[in-house]
Amino acid sequence: MQTILVLGGTGKTGRRVVTRLHERDVPVRIGSRSGDPAFDWEDPATWAPALQGVGAVYVSYYPDLAVPGAPEAVGAFARLAVDSGARRLVLLSGRGEEEAQAAERALIDSGADWTILRAAWFDQNFSENYLLEPVLAGHVVLPAGDVAEPFVDADDIADVAVAALTEDGHSGQVYELTGPRLLTFAEAVAAIAAASGREIGYTRVSPEDYASALAAEGVPADVIDLLIYLFTTVLDGRNASLGDGVRRALGRSPRDFADYAREAAATGIWKAGDA
């Protein structure tokens, strides 16, 4: 089997894809700035060396498909990949994001054998990302109210990605990847509190207050803009429905948030005093 290039191979989904491919003895190349050869979305000169000898690519765009210029970059990369012989492209896309769907169209137009994985909020945002610190502090403050979200597990995303990269029958498919039920952010925090045996509060604030708090902490303006976009435009109810992508791709049910919370708590990641 030809080498599979995993863009974002050190990220939440990418490193899981890499691990699964290694377990299958599939040759893997990690596409990152620290990779060999290095890959950088902001430096197109790094793309061709990373694609040399590659037959398929897991395409994960950094920092997010919602940022300006993402569709153009994804389209240019996809065309180069196809021209280089990497025809099978699996794109991690954003569920309910018009900008992400523009990137999908750009990738499809490249002539690749494509598969689209649409996902929104990951379970692991609470244990491997920016929500870990407030969970450890015992109080999560977000501009998210009663709108429910079908949080999806990064392990499910990786399982579907590996299937699409290595098996037949997934070309031309758009998989809407969600968990098996809807949860508000407050309910997700409550599930984490129950699993970890800790008291963890939740407070809803306005987007303006949230942006001001992030700015006071020194968070870059472009990151603040992206988070506000995700918590307002995307988290407006458009994704408050369940997708069947995990079952269609894998023939099984998606992982429940409560199972994720119990397993994450068992690792000690949310122990008080670890902040």
Side-chain angles (χ1 to χ4, degrees):
M1 179 176 289
Q2 285 185 289
T3 297
I4 293 178
L5 173 63
V6 179
L7 301 184
T10 58
K12 277 195 296 296
T13 63
R15 63 183 174 81
R16 288 172 163 85
V17 171
V18 168
T19 296
R20 285 158 172 76
L21 292 173
H22 279 316
E23 290 171 349
R24 296 186 179 205
D25 294 323
V26 176
V28 179
R29 180 174 298 154
I30 295 176
S32 70
R33 292 174 179 173
S34 59
D36 185 17
F39 178 90
D40 187 345
W41 275 112
E42 296 181 358
D43 183 4
T46 65
W47 300 356
L51 284 164
Q52 187 171 3
V54 166
V57 186
Y58 177 64
V59 183
S60 174
Y61 186 82
Y62 181 84
D64 191 276
L65 289 176
V67 304
E72 293 78 9
V74 169
F77 174 82
R79 291 189 295 273
L80 179 61
V82 171
D83 290 343
S84 301
R87 292 196 54 82
R88 183 174 293 196
L89 304 181
V90 177
L91 174 67
L92 177 63
S93 186
R95 192 169 188 247
E97 296 181 22
E98 293 180 5
E99 297 85 351
Q101 289 165 23
E104 294 174 11
R105 291 190 294 271
L107 182 134
I108 291 169
D109 289 344
S110 70
D113 295 329
W114 56 270
T115 307
I116 306 297
L117 314 184
R118 287 182 183 163
W121 296 94
F122 298 174
D123 296 352
Q124 282 75 11
N125 285 337
F126 291 97
S127 54
E128 301 176 18
N129 206 299
Y130 62 97
L131 295 179
L132 173 58
E133 185 174 346
V135 169
L136 289 173
H139 200 119
V140 178
V141 178
L142 292 172
D146 296 332
V147 175
E149 169 70 23
F151 293 91
V152 64
D153 196 282
D155 286 310
D156 283 343
I157 297 172
D159 285 343
V160 175
V162 169
L165 288 165
T166 63
E167 302 170 4
D168 294 330
H170 301 284
S171 179
Q173 297 295 315
V174 176
Y175 292 126
E176 296 271 348
L177 304 181
T178 74
R181 62 190 172 110
L182 297 168
L183 291 168
T184 65
F185 273 81
E187 290 169 339
V189 170
I192 291 170
S196 61
R198 297 178 52 217
E199 290 188 9
I200 305 173
Y202 181 84
T203 299
R204 178 188 183 183
V205 296
S206 70
E208 294 76 16
D209 287 345
Y210 186 63
S212 296
L214 293 177
E217 294 174 6
V219 178
D222 58 340
V223 175
I224 294 174
D225 290 343
L226 176 59
L227 288 172
I228 295 301
Y229 165 78
L230 294 174
F231 276 112
T232 55
T233 302
V234 178
L235 195 67
D236 64 355
R238 70 184 64 188
N239 289 332
S241 61
L242 303 181
D244 62 356
V246 174
R247 181 166 293 282
R248 284 175 52 217
L250 304 176
R252 65 166 174 81
S253 298
R255 191 181 187 206
D256 190 78
F257 188 90
D259 295 327
Y260 150 76
R262 282 192 295 269
E263 292 183 20
T267 70
I269 189 67
W270 292 321
K271 284 185 179 179
D274 288 352

